[in-house]
Coordinates of all heavy atoms in Angstrom, one line a residue:
I1 N 55.2 102.0 4.1 CA 56.1 103.1 3.7 C 55.3 104.4 4.0 O 54.2 104.5 3.7 CB 56.4 103.0 2.2 CG1 57.1 101.7 1.9 CG2 57.2 104.2 1.8 CD1 57.2 101.5 0.4
G2 N 56.0 105.3 4.8 CA 55.3 106.5 5.1 C 56.0 107.3 6.2 O 57.1 106.9 6.7
S3 N 55.4 108.3 6.6 CA 55.9 109.2 7.7 C 55.6 108.5 9.0 O 54.5 108.1 9.3 CB 55.1 110.5 7.6 OG 55.4 111.2 8.8
V4 N 56.7 108.4 9.8 CA 56.7 107.7 11.1 C 55.6 108.4 12.0 O 54.9 107.7 12.7 CB 58.0 107.8 11.7 CG1 58.0 107.6 13.2 CG2 59.0 106.8 11.1
R5 N 55.5 109.7 12.0 CA 54.6 110.4 12.9 C 53.2 110.0 12.6 O 52.3 110.2 13.5 CB 54.9 111.9 12.8 CG 56.2 112.2 13.3 CD 56.3 113.7 13.4 NE 57.7 114.1 13.5 CZ 58.1 115.3 13.9 NH1 57.3 116.2 14.3 NH2 59.4 115.6 14.0
R6 N 52.9 109.6 11.4 CA 51.5 109.3 11.1 C 51.1 107.8 11.2 O 50.0 107.4 11.0 CB 51.2 109.7 9.7 CG 51.3 111.2 9.6 CD 50.8 111.7 8.2 NE 50.9 113.1 8.2 CZ 51.4 113.8 7.2 NH1 51.8 113.2 6.1 NH2 51.4 115.1 7.2
M7 N 52.1 107.0 11.6 CA 51.9 105.5 11.7 C 51.5 105.1 13.1 O 51.9 105.7 14.1 CB 53.2 104.8 11.4 CG 53.6 104.8 10.0 SD 55.1 103.8 9.7 CE 55.5 104.4 8.1
S8 N 50.7 104.1 13.2 CA 50.4 103.5 14.5 C 51.7 102.9 15.0 O 52.5 102.3 14.2 CB 49.4 102.4 14.3 OG 49.3 101.6 15.4
T9 N 51.9 103.0 16.3 CA 53.1 102.4 16.8 C 53.1 100.8 16.7 O 54.2 100.2 16.7 CB 53.3 102.7 18.3 OG1 52.1 102.3 19.0 CG2 53.6 104.2 18.5
K10 N 52.0 100.2 16.4 CA 51.9 98.8 16.2 C 52.5 98.3 14.9 O 53.0 97.2 14.9 CB 50.4 98.3 16.2 CG 49.7 98.7 17.5 CD 50.1 97.8 18.6 CE 49.3 98.0 19.9 NZ 49.8 97.5 21.0
V11 N 52.6 99.2 13.9 CA 53.2 98.8 12.7 C 54.7 99.2 12.5 O 55.3 98.9 11.6 CB 52.4 99.3 11.4 CG1 51.0 98.7 11.5 CG2 52.4 100.8 11.4
L12 N 55.2 99.9 13.5 CA 56.6 100.4 13.4 C 57.6 99.2 13.1 O 58.6 99.4 12.4 CB 57.0 101.1 14.7 CG 56.4 102.5 14.8 CD1 56.8 103.2 16.1 CD2 56.8 103.4 13.6
P13 N 57.5 98.1 13.7 CA 58.4 97.0 13.5 C 58.5 96.5 12.0 O 59.4 95.8 11.6 CB 58.0 95.8 14.4 CG 57.2 96.5 15.4 CD 56.5 97.7 14.8
Y14 N 57.5 96.9 11.2 CA 57.4 96.5 9.8 C 57.5 97.7 8.9 O 57.5 97.5 7.7 CB 56.0 95.8 9.6 CG 55.7 94.8 10.7 CD1 54.8 95.2 11.7 CD2 56.3 93.6 10.7 CE1 54.5 94.3 12.7 CE2 56.0 92.7 11.8 CZ 55.1 93.1 12.7 OH 54.8 92.2 13.8
A15 N 57.7 98.8 9.4 CA 57.6 100.1 8.6 C 59.0 100.4 7.9 O 60.0 100.2 8.5 CB 57.2 101.2 9.5
V16 N 58.8 101.0 6.8 CA 59.9 101.7 6.1 C 59.7 103.2 6.2 O 58.6 103.6 5.7 CB 60.0 101.2 4.6 CG1 61.1 102.0 3.9 CG2 60.3 99.8 4.5
H17 N 60.5 103.8 6.8 CA 60.4 105.3 7.1 C 60.7 106.0 5.8 O 61.8 106.0 5.3 CB 61.3 105.7 8.2 CG 61.1 104.8 9.4 ND1 60.0 104.8 10.2 CD2 61.9 103.8 9.9 CE1 60.1 103.9 11.2 NE2 61.3 103.3 11.0
A18 N 59.7 106.7 5.2 CA 59.8 107.3 3.9 C 60.9 108.4 3.9 O 61.1 109.1 4.9 CB 58.5 108.0 3.5
S19 N 61.7 108.4 2.9 CA 62.8 109.4 2.6 C 63.8 109.5 3.7 O 64.4 110.5 3.8 CB 62.1 110.8 2.3 OG 61.6 111.4 3.5
Q20 N 64.0 108.5 4.4 CA 65.0 108.5 5.5 C 66.0 107.4 5.3 O 65.7 106.2 5.7 CB 64.4 108.5 6.9 CG 63.5 109.6 7.1 CD 62.7 109.5 8.4 OE1 62.6 108.4 9.0 NE2 62.1 110.5 8.9
D21 N 67.2 107.7 4.7 CA 68.1 106.6 4.4 C 69.1 106.4 5.6 O 69.5 105.3 5.8 CB 69.0 107.0 3.2 CG 68.1 106.9 2.0 OD1 67.3 106.0 1.9 OD2 68.4 107.7 1.1
S22 N 69.3 107.4 6.4 CA 70.3 107.3 7.4 C 69.7 106.9 8.8 O 68.6 107.2 9.1 CB 71.1 108.6 7.6 OG 70.4 109.5 8.3
K23 N 70.5 106.1 9.5 CA 70.1 105.7 10.9 C 69.8 106.9 11.7 O 68.8 107.0 12.5 CB 71.2 104.9 11.5 CG 70.9 104.3 12.8 CD 72.1 103.6 13.4 CE 73.1 103.0 12.5 NZ 74.2 102.3 13.2
K24 N 70.6 108.0 11.6 CA 70.4 109.2 12.3 C 69.1 109.8 12.1 O 68.4 110.3 13.0 CB 71.6 110.2 12.0 CG 71.5 111.5 12.7 CD 72.7 112.3 12.3 CE 72.6 113.7 12.9 NZ 73.7 114.6 12.4
D25 N 68.7 109.9 10.8 CA 67.4 110.5 10.4 C 66.2 109.7 11.0 O 65.2 110.3 11.5 CB 67.2 110.6 8.9 CG 68.1 111.6 8.3 OD1 68.7 112.5 9.0 OD2 68.3 111.5 7.1
V26 N 66.3 108.4 10.9 CA 65.2 107.5 11.4 C 65.1 107.7 13.0 O 64.0 107.9 13.5 CB 65.5 106.0 11.1 CG1 64.5 105.1 11.8 CG2 65.4 105.8 9.6
V27 N 66.2 107.7 13.7 CA 66.2 107.8 15.1 C 65.6 109.2 15.5 O 64.8 109.3 16.4 CB 67.6 107.6 15.7 CG1 67.6 107.9 17.2 CG2 68.0 106.1 15.5
A28 N 66.0 110.3 14.8 CA 65.6 111.6 15.1 C 64.1 111.7 14.9 O 63.4 112.3 15.8 CB 66.3 112.6 14.2
E29 N 63.5 111.1 13.9 CA 62.1 111.1 13.6 C 61.3 110.4 14.7 O 60.3 110.8 15.2 CB 61.8 110.5 12.3 CG 60.4 110.7 11.8 CD 60.0 112.1 11.5 OE1 60.8 113.0 11.4 OE2 58.8 112.4 11.4
L30 N 61.9 109.2 15.1 CA 61.2 108.5 16.2 C 61.3 109.2 17.5 O 60.3 109.2 18.3 CB 61.9 107.1 16.4 CG 61.6 106.1 15.2 CD1 62.6 105.0 15.2 CD2 60.2 105.6 15.3
K31 N 62.4 109.9 17.8 CA 62.5 110.7 19.1 C 61.5 111.8 19.0 O 60.8 112.1 20.1 CB 63.9 111.2 19.3 CG 64.8 110.1 19.7 CD 66.2 110.6 20.0 CE 67.1 109.5 20.5 NZ 68.5 110.0 20.7
A32 N 61.3 112.4 17.9 CA 60.3 113.5 17.8 C 58.9 112.9 18.0 O 58.0 113.6 18.6 CB 60.4 114.2 16.4
M33 N 58.6 111.7 17.5 CA 57.3 111.1 17.7 C 57.1 110.8 19.2 O 56.0 111.0 19.8 CB 57.3 109.8 17.0 CG 56.0 109.1 17.0 SD 56.1 107.6 16.0 CE 54.4 107.0 16.1
L34 N 58.2 110.4 19.9 CA 58.1 110.2 21.3 C 57.8 111.4 22.1 O 56.9 111.4 23.0 CB 59.5 109.7 21.8 CG 59.7 108.3 22.4 CD1 61.1 108.1 22.9 CD2 58.7 108.0 23.5
E35 N 58.4 112.5 21.7 CA 58.1 113.8 22.4 C 56.7 114.3 22.2 O 56.2 115.0 23.0 CB 59.1 114.8 21.9 CG 60.6 114.6 22.4 CD 61.6 115.4 21.7 OE1 61.2 116.4 21.0 OE2 62.8 115.2 22.0
S36 N 56.1 113.9 21.1 CA 54.8 114.4 20.8 C 53.7 113.8 21.7 O 52.6 114.3 21.8 CB 54.4 114.0 19.3 OG 54.2 112.6 19.2
F37 N 54.0 112.8 22.5 CA 53.1 112.2 23.4 C 52.9 113.0 24.7 O 52.0 112.9 25.4 CB 53.5 110.7 23.8 CG 53.2 109.8 22.7 CD1 54.2 109.0 22.1 CD2 51.9 109.6 22.2 CE1 53.9 108.1 21.1 CE2 51.6 108.7 21.1 CZ 52.7 108.0 20.6
G38 N 53.9 113.8 25.0 CA 53.8 114.6 26.2 C 54.0 113.8 27.5 O 54.4 112.6 27.4
P39 N 53.6 114.4 28.6 CA 53.9 113.7 29.9 C 52.8 112.7 30.4 O 52.9 112.2 31.5 CB 53.9 114.9 30.9 CG 53.0 115.9 30.3 CD 53.2 115.7 28.8
S40 N 51.8 112.4 29.5 CA 50.7 111.5 29.9 C 51.3 110.2 30.4 O 52.2 109.6 29.8 CB 49.8 111.3 28.8 OG 48.8 110.3 29.1
E41 N 50.7 109.7 31.5 CA 51.2 108.4 32.0 C 50.1 107.3 31.9 O 50.1 106.4 32.6 CB 51.6 108.6 33.5 CG 52.9 109.4 33.6 CD 54.1 108.8 32.8 OE1 54.2 107.6 32.8 OE2 54.8 109.6 32.3
S42 N 49.2 107.5 31.0 CA 48.1 106.5 30.8 C 48.8 105.2 30.3 O 49.9 105.2 29.8 CB 47.1 107.0 29.8 OG 47.6 107.0 28.5
R43 N 48.1 104.1 30.5 CA 48.6 102.8 30.1 C 48.9 102.8 28.6 O 49.9 102.2 28.1 CB 47.6 101.7 30.5 CG 48.2 100.3 30.4 CD 47.3 99.3 30.9 NE 46.9 99.5 32.3 CZ 46.0 98.8 32.9 NH1 45.3 97.9 32.3 NH2 45.7 99.0 34.2
G44 N 48.0 103.4 27.8 CA 48.1 103.4 26.4 C 49.4 104.2 26.0 O 50.1 103.8 25.1
A45 N 49.6 105.4 26.6 CA 50.8 106.2 26.3 C 52.0 105.4 26.7 O 53.0 105.5 26.0 CB 50.7 107.5 27.1
Q46 N 52.0 104.7 27.8 CA 53.2 104.0 28.2 C 53.5 102.9 27.2 O 54.7 102.7 26.9 CB 53.0 103.4 29.6 CG 53.0 104.4 30.7 CD 52.6 103.7 32.1 OE1 52.3 102.5 32.1 NE2 52.7 104.5 33.1
S47 N 52.5 102.2 26.7 CA 52.7 101.2 25.7 C 53.2 101.7 24.4 O 54.2 101.2 23.8 CB 51.3 100.5 25.5 OG 51.4 99.6 24.4
R48 N 52.7 102.9 24.0 CA 53.2 103.5 22.7 C 54.7 103.9 22.9 O 55.5 103.8 22.0 CB 52.3 104.7 22.3 CG 51.0 104.2 21.8 CD 50.2 105.3 21.2 NE 49.8 106.3 22.1 CZ 48.8 106.3 22.9 NH1 47.9 105.3 22.8 NH2 48.5 107.3 23.7
R49 N 55.0 104.5 24.1 CA 56.4 104.9 24.3 C 57.3 103.7 24.2 O 58.4 103.8 23.7 CB 56.5 105.6 25.7 CG 56.1 107.0 25.7 CD 56.5 107.6 27.0 NE 56.0 109.0 27.1 CZ 54.9 109.3 27.7 NH1 54.1 108.5 28.3 NH2 54.6 110.6 27.7
A50 N 56.9 102.6 24.9 CA 57.7 101.4 24.8 C 57.9 100.9 23.4 O 59.0 100.5 23.0 CB 57.1 100.3 25.7
E51 N 56.9 100.9 22.6 CA 57.0 100.5 21.2 C 57.9 101.4 20.4 O 58.7 100.9 19.6 CB 55.6 100.5 20.5 CG 54.7 99.4 21.1 CD 53.2 99.6 20.8 OE1 52.8 100.7 20.4 OE2 52.5 98.6 21.0
I52 N 57.9 102.7 20.7 CA 58.8 103.6 20.0 C 60.2 103.4 20.5 O 61.2 103.4 19.6 CB 58.4 105.1 20.2 CG1 57.0 105.3 19.6 CG2 59.4 106.1 19.7 CD1 56.3 106.6 20.0
H53 N 60.5 103.2 21.8 CA 61.8 102.9 22.3 C 62.4 101.6 21.6 O 63.5 101.6 21.2 CB 61.8 102.8 23.8 CG 61.8 104.1 24.5 ND1 62.9 105.0 24.5 CD2 60.9 104.6 25.3 CE1 62.6 106.0 25.2 NE2 61.4 105.9 25.7
A54 N 61.5 100.6 21.5 CA 62.0 99.4 20.8 C 62.3 99.6 19.4 O 63.3 99.1 18.9 CB 60.9 98.3 20.9
E55 N 61.6 100.5 18.7 CA 61.9 100.8 17.3 C 63.2 101.6 17.2 O 63.9 101.4 16.2 CB 60.7 101.5 16.6 CG 60.9 101.8 15.2 CD 61.1 100.6 14.3 OE1 60.8 99.5 14.7 OE2 61.5 100.8 13.1
I56 N 63.4 102.5 18.1 CA 64.7 103.2 18.1 C 65.9 102.3 18.2 O 66.8 102.4 17.5 CB 64.7 104.3 19.3 CG1 63.7 105.4 19.0 CG2 66.1 104.8 19.5 CD1 63.5 106.4 20.1
L57 N 65.7 101.3 19.1 CA 66.8 100.3 19.2 C 67.0 99.5 17.9 O 68.1 99.3 17.5 CB 66.5 99.3 20.4 CG 66.6 99.9 21.8 CD1 66.2 98.8 22.8 CD2 68.1 100.3 22.0
R58 N 65.9 99.1 17.3 CA 66.0 98.4 16.0 C 66.6 99.3 14.9 O 67.4 98.8 14.1 CB 64.6 97.9 15.5 CG 64.0 96.7 16.3 CD 62.8 96.2 15.7 NE 61.6 97.1 15.9 CZ 60.8 97.1 16.9 NH1 60.9 96.2 17.9 NH2 59.8 97.9 17.0
A59 N 66.3 100.6 14.9 CA 66.8 101.5 13.9 C 68.3 101.6 14.1 O 69.1 101.6 13.2 CB 66.2 102.9 14.0
K60 N 68.8 101.7 15.4 CA 70.2 101.8 15.7 C 71.0 100.6 15.3 O 72.1 100.6 15.0 CB 70.4 102.1 17.2 CG 70.0 103.5 17.6 CD 70.2 103.7 19.1 CE 69.9 105.1 19.5 NZ 70.1 105.4 20.9
Q61 N 70.2 99.4 15.2 CA 70.9 98.2 14.7 C 70.8 98.0 13.2 O 71.2 97.0 12.7 CB 70.2 97.0 15.4 CG 70.4 97.0 16.9 CD 69.5 96.0 17.7 OE1 68.6 95.5 17.1 NE2 69.8 95.8 18.9
G62 N 70.2 99.0 12.5 CA 70.1 98.9 11.1 C 68.9 98.3 10.4 O 68.9 98.0 9.3
A63 N 67.9 98.1 11.2 CA 66.7 97.4 10.7 C 66.1 98.1 9.5 O 65.5 97.5 8.6 CB 65.6 97.2 11.8
H64 N 66.1 99.5 9.5 CA 65.5 100.2 8.4 C 66.1 99.9 7.1 O 65.5 99.8 6.1 CB 65.6 101.7 8.7 CG 67.0 102.3 8.7 ND1 67.9 102.0 9.8 CD2 67.6 103.1 7.9 CE1 69.0 102.6 9.5 NE2 68.9 103.3 8.4
R65 N 67.4 99.6 7.0 CA 68.1 99.2 5.8 C 67.6 97.9 5.3 O 67.4 97.7 4.1 CB 69.6 99.3 5.9 CG 70.1 100.6 6.0 CD 71.6 100.7 5.7 NE 72.1 102.0 5.7 CZ 72.8 102.6 6.7 NH1 73.1 101.9 7.7 NH2 73.2 103.8 6.6
E66 N 67.5 96.9 6.2 CA 67.0 95.6 5.8 C 65.5 95.7 5.3 O 65.2 95.0 4.3 CB 67.1 94.6 7.0 CG 68.5 94.3 7.4 CD 69.3 93.7 6.2 OE1 68.7 92.8 5.5 OE2 70.4 94.1 6.0
R67 N 64.7 96.5 5.9 CA 63.3 96.6 5.5 C 63.2 97.3 4.1 O 62.4 96.9 3.3 CB 62.5 97.5 6.5 CG 62.3 96.8 7.8 CD 61.6 97.7 8.7 NE 61.7 97.3 10.1 CZ 61.6 98.0 11.1 NH1 61.3 99.3 11.0 NH2 61.8 97.6 12.4
R68 N 64.1 98.2 3.8 CA 64.1 98.9 2.5 C 64.4 97.8 1.4 O 63.9 97.9 0.3 CB 65.1 100.0 2.4 CG 64.7 101.2 3.3 CD 65.7 102.3 3.3 NE 65.8 103.1 2.0 CZ 65.0 104.1 1.7 NH1 64.0 104.5 2.6 NH2 65.1 104.7 0.6
K69 N 65.3 96.9 1.7 CA 65.7 95.9 0.8 C 64.5 94.9 0.5 O 64.4 94.4 -0.6 CB 66.9 95.0 1.3 CG 68.2 95.8 1.3 CD 69.3 94.9 1.9 CE 70.5 95.7 2.1 NZ 71.6 94.9 2.8
K70 N 63.7 94.7 1.5 CA 62.6 93.7 1.4 C 61.4 94.2 0.7 O 60.5 93.4 0.3 CB 62.2 93.3 2.8 CG 63.2 92.4 3.5 CD 62.6 91.9 4.8 CE 63.7 91.1 5.5 NZ 63.2 90.6 6.8
V71 N 61.3 95.5 0.4 CA 60.1 96.1 -0.2 C 59.8 95.4 -1.5 O 58.6 95.2 -1.8 CB 60.3 97.6 -0.4 CG1 59.2 98.2 -1.3 CG2 60.2 98.3 0.9
K72 N 60.7 95.1 -2.3 CA 60.5 94.4 -3.6 C 60.1 93.0 -3.5 O 59.7 92.3 -4.5 CB 61.7 94.5 -4.5 CG 62.1 96.0 -4.9 CD 61.1 96.6 -5.8 CE 61.6 98.0 -6.2 NZ 60.6 98.8 -6.9
Q73 N 60.2 92.4 -2.3 CA 60.0 91.0 -2.1 C 58.6 90.6 -1.4 O 58.1 89.5 -1.6 CB 61.1 90.3 -1.3 CG 62.5 90.5 -1.9 CD 63.6 90.1 -0.9 OE1 63.3 89.8 0.2 NE2 64.8 90.3 -1.4
V74 N 58.1 91.6 -0.7 CA 56.9 91.3 0.1 C 55.6 91.3 -0.8 O 55.6 91.9 -1.9 CB 56.7 92.3 1.3 CG1 57.9 92.2 2.2 CG2 56.6 93.7 0.8
K75 N 54.6 90.6 -0.3 CA 53.4 90.5 -1.1 C 52.4 91.7 -0.8 O 51.5 91.9 -1.6 CB 52.7 89.2 -0.8 CG 53.5 88.0 -1.4 CD 52.8 86.7 -1.1 CE 53.7 85.6 -1.7 NZ 53.0 84.3 -1.7
V76 N 52.5 92.3 0.4 CA 51.5 93.3 0.7 C 52.3 94.5 1.2 O 53.2 94.4 2.0 CB 50.6 92.9 1.9 CG1 49.7 94.0 2.3 CG2 49.8 91.7 1.4
I77 N 52.0 95.7 0.7 CA 52.6 97.0 1.1 C 51.5 98.0 1.5 O 50.6 98.1 0.7 CB 53.5 97.5 0.0 CG1 54.7 96.6 -0.3 CG2 54.0 98.9 0.4 CD1 55.6 97.0 -1.4
G78 N 51.7 98.6 2.6 CA 50.7 99.7 3.0 C 51.4 101.0 2.9 O 52.6 101.1 3.3
V79 N 50.8 101.9 2.2 CA 51.4 103.3 2.0 C 50.3 104.3 2.2 O 49.1 104.0 1.9 CB 52.1 103.5 0.7 CG1 53.2 102.5 0.5 CG2 51.2 103.4 -0.5
T80 N 50.7 105.5 2.5 CA 49.8 106.6 2.5 C 49.7 107.1 1.0 O 50.6 106.7 0.2 CB 50.2 107.8 3.4 OG1 51.5 108.2 2.9 CG2 50.3 107.4 4.8
C81 N 48.8 107.9 0.6 CA 48.7 108.4 -0.7 C 50.0 109.2 -1.0 O 50.6 109.1 -2.1 CB 47.5 109.3 -0.9 SG 46.0 108.3 -1.0
C82 N 50.4 110.0 -0.1 CA 51.6 110.8 -0.3 C 52.9 109.9 -0.5 O 53.7 110.3 -1.3 CB 51.9 111.7 0.9 SG 50.7 113.1 1.0
S83 N 52.9 108.8 0.2 CA 54.1 108.0 0.1 C 54.0 107.0 -1.1 O 55.0 106.3 -1.3 CB 54.3 107.2 1.4 OG 54.6 108.0 2.5
S84 N 52.9 107.0 -1.8 CA 52.8 106.1 -2.9 C 53.7 106.4 -4.0 O 53.9 105.6 -5.0 CB 51.4 106.0 -3.4 OG 51.0 107.2 -3.9
V85 N 54.3 107.6 -4.0 CA 55.3 108.0 -5.0 C 56.7 107.9 -4.5 O 57.6 108.3 -5.2 CB 55.0 109.5 -5.5 CG1 53.7 109.6 -6.2 CG2 55.1 110.5 -4.3
N86 N 56.9 107.2 -3.4 CA 58.3 107.0 -2.9 C 59.1 106.2 -3.9 O 58.6 105.3 -4.5 CB 58.1 106.2 -1.6 CG 59.5 106.1 -0.9 OD1 60.3 105.4 -1.3 ND2 59.6 106.8 0.3
E87 N 60.4 106.5 -4.0 CA 61.2 105.9 -5.0 C 61.4 104.4 -4.7 O 61.7 103.6 -5.7 CB 62.6 106.6 -5.0 CG 63.6 106.1 -4.0 CD 63.4 106.9 -2.6 OE1 62.6 107.8 -2.5 OE2 64.1 106.4 -1.7
L88 N 61.1 103.9 -3.5 CA 61.2 102.5 -3.3 C 60.1 101.7 -4.1 O 60.3 100.5 -4.3 CB 60.9 102.2 -1.8 CG 62.1 102.6 -0.8 CD1 61.6 102.4 0.6 CD2 63.3 101.8 -1.1
L89 N 59.1 102.4 -4.5 CA 58.0 101.7 -5.3 C 58.2 101.9 -6.8 O 57.4 101.3 -7.5 CB 56.7 102.2 -4.8 CG 56.3 102.0 -3.4 CD1 55.0 102.7 -3.0 CD2 56.3 100.5 -3.0
D90 N 59.3 102.5 -7.2 CA 59.5 102.7 -8.6 C 59.6 101.3 -9.3 O 60.1 100.4 -8.7 CB 60.8 103.4 -8.9 CG 60.7 104.9 -8.6 OD1 59.6 105.4 -8.3 OD2 61.7 105.6 -8.6
D91 N 59.0 101.2 -10.4 CA 59.0 99.9 -11.2 C 58.2 98.8 -10.5 O 58.3 97.7 -10.9 CB 60.4 99.5 -11.5 CG 61.2 100.5 -12.3 OD1 60.6 101.1 -13.2 OD2 62.4 100.7 -12.0
S92 N 57.4 99.1 -9.5 CA 56.6 98.1 -8.9 C 55.2 98.1 -9.6 O 54.7 99.1 -10.0 CB 56.4 98.4 -7.4 OG 57.6 98.4 -6.7
T93 N 54.6 96.9 -9.6 CA 53.3 96.7 -10.1 C 52.5 95.9 -9.1 O 53.1 95.1 -8.3 CB 53.2 96.0 -11.5 OG1 53.8 94.7 -11.3 CG2 53.9 96.8 -12.5
F94 N 51.2 96.2 -9.0 CA 50.4 95.5 -8.0 C 49.1 95.0 -8.7 O 48.5 95.7 -9.5 CB 50.0 96.5 -6.9 CG 51.2 97.1 -6.2 CD1 51.7 98.3 -6.6 CD2 51.8 96.4 -5.2 CE1 52.9 98.8 -6.0 CE2 52.9 96.9 -4.6 CZ 53.5 98.1 -5.0
D95 N 48.7 93.8 -8.3 CA 47.5 93.2 -8.9 C 46.2 93.9 -8.3 O 45.2 94.0 -9.0 CB 47.4 91.7 -8.6 CG 48.5 90.9 -9.3 OD1 48.9 91.3 -10.4 OD2 49.0 89.9 -8.8
V96 N 46.3 94.3 -7.0 CA 45.2 94.9 -6.3 C 45.7 96.1 -5.6 O 46.7 96.1 -4.9 CB 44.6 93.9 -5.3 CG1 43.4 94.5 -4.6 CG2 44.1 92.6 -6.1
V97 N 44.9 97.2 -5.7 CA 45.2 98.4 -4.9 C 43.9 98.7 -4.1 O 42.8 98.8 -4.7 CB 45.6 99.5 -5.8 CG1 45.8 100.8 -5.0 CG2 46.9 99.2 -6.5
V98 N 44.0 99.0 -2.8 CA 42.9 99.3 -2.0 C 43.1 100.8 -1.5 O 44.1 101.0 -0.9 CB 42.7 98.4 -0.8 CG1 41.5 98.8 0.0 CG2 42.5 96.9 -1.3
L99 N 42.2 101.6 -1.8 CA 42.2 103.0 -1.3 C 41.2 103.3 -0.3 O 40.0 102.8 -0.5 CB 42.1 104.0 -2.5 CG 43.1 104.1 -3.5 CD1 42.7 105.0 -4.7 CD2 44.5 104.5 -2.9
D100 N 41.5 103.9 0.8 CA 40.6 104.3 1.8 C 40.4 105.8 1.8 O 41.3 106.5 1.8 CB 41.1 103.8 3.2 CG 40.1 104.0 4.3 OD1 39.0 104.5 4.0 OD2 40.5 103.8 5.4

């Protein structure tokens, strides 16, 4: 759970985009993330772009809504400190919390 722009592209397929309920908002944030890479054509940049494009397609298919529903069912959740107050975590309890 957190801000898309601060996430590694590797975790995007599992991420819940904080405070974004609509498909339009999720896609807009991902497109902004894509633009932040600039024109670099390095292999790493190409890979990150491909991962973001794949996440845009998943968002357009409604994956973000399904992920939001699963938050209460999963055993491990990663959040930033800022996102730890997200309403999706209301009434949640955790046996272990790791802070970095």
Side-chain angles (χ1 to χ4, degrees):
I1 299 172
S3 169
V4 162
R5 293 186 198 202
R6 294 187 178 136
M7 288 183 195
S8 165
T9 56
K10 300 287 184 196
V11 299
L12 288 176
Y14 314 101
V16 175
H17 310 287
S19 73
Q20 297 171 345
D21 291 324
S22 79
K23 184 184 337 181
K24 181 180 172 184
D25 291 342
V26 172
V27 171
E29 189 70 12
L30 289 165
K31 285 182 178 179
M33 187 179 182
L34 242 182
E35 291 170 7
S36 72
F37 286 121
S40 174
E41 292 302 322
S42 71
R43 193 176 299 170
Q46 289 174 355
S47 174
R48 287 189 299 273
R49 280 192 183 95
E51 291 163 346
I52 295 168
H53 281 294
E55 182 62 12
I56 288 170
L57 289 174
R58 287 188 290 269
K60 287 179 177 179
Q61 295 168 349
H64 65 288
R65 285 200 177 101
E66 291 302 315
R67 291 178 197 156
R68 290 176 75 84
K69 291 178 188 176
K70 289 182 180 180
V71 166
K72 298 290 185 190
Q73 301 168 0
V74 296
K75 293 183 180 190
V76 176
I77 296 177
V79 300
T80 62
C81 287
C82 290
S83 294
S84 66
V85 295
N86 187 291
E87 81 277 353
L88 287 174
L89 298 174
D90 286 354
D91 301 321
S92 296
T93 58
F94 301 95
D95 294 329
V96 177
V97 175
V98 178
L99 293 173
D100 181 10

